[in-house]
Amino acid sequence: MEFESVEFNLSQYLDSQCRLINTTLENYLKTVANSSRLTQAMQYSLMAGGKRLRPVLCMASCEAIGGCAQETLPAACAMEMIHTYSLIHDDLPAMDDDALRRGKPTCHVQFDEATAILAGDALLTMAFQMLSDHAVTKNNHTDRWLRVIQRVSRAAGCQGMIEGQMRDIVAEHAVLSPSALERLHALKTGALIEAAIVSGAILGGGSEDQIRDLTSYAGYIGLAFQVKDDVLNVAGDPELLGKGVGTDAQRQKSTYPSLMGLEASEQFASSLIDKALQSLASFDQRSDPLRAMAEYIIVRQH
Ligand code: IPE
Ligand code: IPE
Ligand code: MG
Ligand code: MG
């Protein structure tokens, strides 16, 4: 018997998840913020209007295995805090030296360099405060929350994103092999995306097999996401992107377009998304948001 397939409405899904995420972020900020310059800078960057992909992926991963997505919100929002901190530091003069982010002046331009460094530090710390606050006060599935804290801290630090950022800086002006570039991308961007997805699965009570398949999905979309980011840096519209274009070439960054050209990069990203979708073969329609997100990652214009 054939069932009529219902088109999954991604933009409606993203709207409603982003509303939940933004409200949770605002509320948590209120509990720690005062009117200090530091918390103003944290609020400025955190609420500047990012796509919230990592928290949405965290929630969608939990949903895919039949868990309650809203219960992941503290983890989902912690991922966004870490991501925003990484962007603030990524934009600093000593790093990528960018002036525009999320359609606004970067944190160090709007405030100053020292404030931006400290706002990033504080957002990173706040992420683990939010995770541990939840684990301690709710006293519900504390073991799962502890696993999430372990997973996220590993992904954010010297075995994940920070090592990726280091390699990205060291690779300026160099030509990397395809495997070295893939590893760099997996660390700098993939690690946090994978941690978001695996955290959602852990909190939803996913089996080891489910976590393995979702890790595989995450690896493919994480790489595709950064390849697309690199493509948009060459061919994107700065108005839509809310950040500068052509900056990777200016700084002689190691990127997929610089290694294999634009068209081959787009094809590579698309082949990665095919593999990501194959990784979801054993999941039912509750993984439709994850499928739609995978497809969105390579067609997005911002
Ligand atoms: C940009 O991430 C930086 C990368 C890791 C490639 P996003 O494209 O998710 O940025 P926002 O959160 O929407 O601003
Ligand atoms: C940002 O990578 C990665 C992290 C912040 C960890 P990029 O430097 O390539 O991203 P954009 O283009 O500035 O957003
Ligand atoms: Mg960078
Ligand atoms: Mg950058």
Side-chain angles (χ1 to χ4, degrees), residues 132-143 145:
S132 50
D133 272 353
H134 188 81
V136 170
T137 55
K138 295 294 177 215
N139 202 17
N140 186 22
H141 290 306
T142 312
D143 54 330
W145 285 91

Side-chain angles (χ1 to χ4, degrees), residues 59-67 210 214 280 283-284 286-287 290:
M59 295 175 79
S61 169
C62 180
E63 197 177 333
I65 54 173
Q210 286 174 318
L214 289 168
L280 297 179
F283 290 81
D284 63 20
R286 288 174 297 188
S287 68
L290 287 181

Side-chain angles (χ1 to χ4, degrees), residues 177-280:
S177 68
S179 66
L181 184 60
E182 185 172 325
R183 185 71 188 135
L184 188 165
H185 279 17
L187 288 164
K188 110 171 167 175
T189 308
L192 216 56
I193 289 178
E194 185 186 302
I197 290 165
V198 171
S199 296
I202 292 171
L203 293 174
S207 67
E208 289 311 315
D209 282 354
Q210 286 174 318
I211 292 176
R212 188 204 52 227
D213 288 346
L214 289 168
T215 304
S216 159
Y217 162 87
Y220 291 124
I221 68 158
L223 183 54
F225 184 83
Q226 184 62 50
V227 175
K228 182 71 183 185
D229 188 80
D230 292 349
V231 165
L232 289 170
N233 193 275
V234 177
D237 175 350
E239 284 285 318
L240 294 175
L241 278 176
K243 58 186 182 184
V245 298
T247 52
D248 288 342
Q250 271 164 30
R251 272 178 234 111
Q252 301 188 330
K253 290 278 191 193
S254 291
T255 65
Y256 273 89
S258 71
L259 189 75
M260 56 168 72
L262 263 190
E263 208 175 307
S265 300
E266 298 254 32
Q267 279 166 11
F268 179 54
S270 167
S271 71
L272 291 167
I273 293 307
D274 288 344
K275 289 185 187 149
L277 294 174
Q278 284 161 24
S279 307
L280 297 179

Side-chain angles (χ1 to χ4, degrees), residues 90-91 96 98 101 248 251 253:
D90 181 73
D91 291 332
D96 290 351
D98 276 317
R101 172 69 68 183
D248 288 342
R251 272 178 234 111
K253 290 278 191 193

